[in-house]
Amino acid sequence: MAKKQKPKNQHERTRVDHATEIAEDYVEAIAEILEEQDVCRVKDLAEHFAVSHVTVNRTVARLQRDGYVTTEPYSPVELTSQGAKLAKNSRRRHEIVLSFLIALGVSEETAATDTEGIEHHVSPETLSVMEAYISKAHR
């Protein structure tokens, strides 16, 4: 996947954001699974996302094509440096949005669910304001 281009309007930005959502979710999940058990297999991702092995295989193939992961048939999935960077940035954005919603008083369960959608569409400007709000709220 190419670097996000600067959109001309909010609808175009939403389309660009949608195009990267799955890649961000997958590399973030791969990183989490690798932290927990040192190896990530297709079956782990299928269980994590509650989808079929076929779906995971197709997605992993796209991630490999785009330079985010490496794998061979019947072998574990590993993040490339590009994939690890995307996972780190996605995790950071996820944590900021989640903390922001909780700081506003949203229940943890609802905040966790809402974060999964918001994190992919939040602009750098909004994310920065959320982060500043969290910092002030924790003083």
Side-chain angles (χ1 to χ4, degrees):
M1 299 197 157
K3 185 177 178 182
K4 288 186 183 180
Q5 298 174 1
K6 185 168 175 104
K8 294 173 181 61
N9 65 49
Q10 71 270 18
H11 300 291
E12 183 179 347
R13 181 177 143 211
T14 299
R15 285 189 296 275
V16 170
D17 291 344
H18 278 301
T20 62
E21 269 183 70
I22 292 174
E24 290 172 349
D25 282 343
Y26 267 74
V27 296
E28 192 176 345
I30 293 165
E32 289 173 11
I33 292 167
L34 289 171
E35 286 175 18
E36 293 171 7
Q37 58 193 40
D38 295 326
V39 66
C40 179
R41 299 193 178 279
V42 168
K43 74 176 189 75
D44 300 319
L45 292 167
E47 289 172 10
H48 179 86
F49 290 110
V51 297
S52 72
H53 286 71
V54 172
T55 298
V56 173
N57 281 325
R58 287 181 182 154
T59 303
V60 167
R62 283 193 302 273
L63 293 173
Q64 189 167 20
R65 177 199 70 202
D66 295 340
Y68 295 118
V69 302
T70 59
T71 191
E72 295 293 328
Y74 309 104
S75 295
V77 179
E78 297 178 5
L79 292 172
T80 62
S81 60
Q82 181 181 353
K85 182 179 177 182
L86 181 61
K88 181 180 176 185
N89 290 339
S90 296
R91 169 55 50 196
R92 179 179 172 274
R93 207 170 46 250
H94 180 102
E95 290 171 356
I96 291 169
V97 172
L98 179 64
S99 296
F100 176 74
L101 294 175
I102 290 170
L104 289 178
V106 177
S107 71
E108 287 191 32
E109 183 179 345
T110 300
T113 301
D114 290 349
T115 295
E116 288 303 322
I118 295 169
E119 69 179 307
H120 301 291
H121 300 281
V122 65
S123 70
E125 177 186 358
T126 301
L127 194 66
S128 178
V129 172
M130 288 177 168
E131 194 169 29
Y133 180 87
I134 295 163
S135 293
K136 288 178 187 175
H138 285 101
R139 287 187 190 171

